[in-house]
């Protein structure tokens, strides 16, 4: 039951976000969406690193915030410069997101098979 | 892998992710409901609905305006009614002598010489009414429909039987109170008319002069006439309504 605490955190965060009356101006919607994408990528990266047993809390936390901020800032800079960095960020983070998801799925499958073969081995013995 | 080590950072990260996601969700919903992003069909439907609503509201405004006008009229009627009632009240107060009055008029002062009977006072008062007086008072006694003018004979010495007229003291009484000299009659009205009414040749002044009474007349621009000291109360009076006669 290792995932209960993070899920509770997610629910609490969603509740806090819905109670906040602050309304984001429509101009910043684009940058906000990129920040959300970047943070989603960071979160899945963190889950992947847990699966691979290489987890580092500091890397995750710093990565989460800096990725989100930098993604938003770079998109803003791109808008100022006339280069649509928005699509580049969406592409980069999207690809990484799916890769992370695929890795997580692989690990789940490997773990499941290992357990099953172990159980079979126990039964056959 | 230390389990306690990764729980806390992941929870923190998920918390912030939740906040970000719900904020973004809200903002996106708001953005998507923007009119510029709607389909033409829905926009047309919205316009139709809104114009229907507007027509209904315009009708309601008309209706409410009519209601307001009728209410205003009814309150105006009430105001007029109240005004007329209060005017009637004032008139009744004036007539019944329950309020002090002021205005221009005439004063008649009678000093204590000669012989003045209460009938002389009655004559003067009658003459004043005839001449158009609107309110009269004698020595601060207001004259109304209930005023009595009379006289009492008073014997100072009970044991000595009065023999001559001079042994009696005669008092003029008004509303059963003794009238003291000098007797001042105040009358509100057109002072010229009042004076003329009294000083007609062969009139009341000439009559009084025969008995050596020379009243002093004085026109005044400002006169105040007091209210009744004790306004009369009625117990037995009921309004008469004629019975319906059978044909």
């Amino acid at each position: 039951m290792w995932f209960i605490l993070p899920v509770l955190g997610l629910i609490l965060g969603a509740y806090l976000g819905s109670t906040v009356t602050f309304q984001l101006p429509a101009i910043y919607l684009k940058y906000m969406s990129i920040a959300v994408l970047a943070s989603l990528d960071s979160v899945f990266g963190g889950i992947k690193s847990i699966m691979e047993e290489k987890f580092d809390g500091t890397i995750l936390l710093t990565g989460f915030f800096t990725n989100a901020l930098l993604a938003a800032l770079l998109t803003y800079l791109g808008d100022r410069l006339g280069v649509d960095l928005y699509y580049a960020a969406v592409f980069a983070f999207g690809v990484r997101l799916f890769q992370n998801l695929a890795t997580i799925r692989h690990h789940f499958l490997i773990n499941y098979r290992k357990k099953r073969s172990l159980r079979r081995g126990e039964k056959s013995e | 892998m230390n389990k306690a080590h990764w729980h806390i950072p992941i929870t923190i990260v998920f918390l912030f992710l939740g906040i970000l996601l719900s904020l973004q969700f809200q903002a996106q919903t708001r953005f998507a409901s923007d009119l510029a992003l709607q389909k033409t069909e829905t926009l047309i439907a919205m316009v139709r609905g809104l114009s229907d609503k507007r027509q209904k509201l315009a009708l309601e405004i008309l209706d409410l305006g009519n209601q307001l006008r009728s209410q205003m009229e009814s309150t105006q009627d009430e105001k007029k009614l109240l005004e007329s009632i209060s005017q009637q009240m004032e008139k009744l107060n004036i007539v019944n002598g329950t309020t002090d009055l002021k205005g221009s008029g005439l004063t008649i002062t009678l000093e204590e010489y000669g012989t003045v009977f209460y009938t002389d006072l009655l004559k003067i008062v009658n003459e004043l009414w005839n001449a158009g007086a609107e309110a009269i008072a004698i020595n601060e006694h207001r004259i109304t429909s209930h005023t009595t003018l009379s006289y009492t004979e008073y014997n100072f010495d009970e044991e000595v039987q009065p023999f001559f007229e001079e042994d009696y003291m005669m008092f003029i009484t008004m509303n059963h109170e003794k009238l003291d000299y000098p007797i001042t009659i105040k009358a509100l009205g057109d002072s010229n008319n009042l004076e003329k009414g009294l000083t007609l040749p062969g009139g009341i002044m000439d009559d009084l002069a025969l008995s050596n009474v020379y009243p002093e007349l004085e026109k005044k621009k400002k006169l105040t006439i007091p209210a009744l000291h004790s306004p009369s109360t009625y117990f037995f009076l009921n309004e008469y309504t004629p019975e319906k006669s059978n044909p």
Side-chain angles (χ1 to χ4, degrees), chain B residues 94-149:
Chain B
I94 289 168
V95 171
N96 286 325
T98 47
T99 50
D100 290 353
L101 300 175
K102 68 179 181 186
S104 64
L106 190 76
T107 58
I108 300 122
T109 318
L110 296 157
E111 296 292 343
E112 190 174 12
Y113 52 78
T115 32
V116 181
F117 293 105
Y118 77 95
T119 45
D120 296 328
L121 292 182
L122 273 179
K123 278 178 193 168
I124 294 173
V125 169
N126 283 345
E127 198 55 54
L128 286 172
W129 287 131
N130 276 339
E134 288 172 4
I136 304 176
I138 303 178
N139 276 13
E140 311 299 313
H141 289 283
R142 180 76 168 271
I143 293 186
T144 64
S145 54
H146 287 258
T147 308
T148 58
L149 262 173

Side-chain angles (χ1 to χ4, degrees), chain A residues 2 5-6 9-10 12-14 17-18 23-24 29 32-33 36 39-40 43 47 50 55 57 60-61 64-65, chain B residues 1 3 5-24 26-28 30-31:
Chain A
W2 57 273
L5 209 59
L10 187 68
L12 183 69
S18 64
Q23 284 197 338
L24 196 76
L29 203 66
M32 182 77 174
S33 61
V36 169
S39 49
L40 262 178
V43 166
I47 293 169
I50 293 170
F55 182 78
L60 175 68
L61 280 173
F64 180 81
F65 291 109
Chain B
M1 183 172 73
K3 281 209 169 181
H5 207 68
W6 64 260
H7 262 116
I8 294 158
I10 276 279
T11 309
I12 294 167
V13 163
F14 264 92
L15 187 79
F16 279 99
L17 183 71
I19 294 172
L20 275 178
L21 277 177
S22 71
L23 274 180
Q24 176 69 11
Q26 282 179 35
Q28 193 64 39
R30 250 189 309 120
F31 185 67

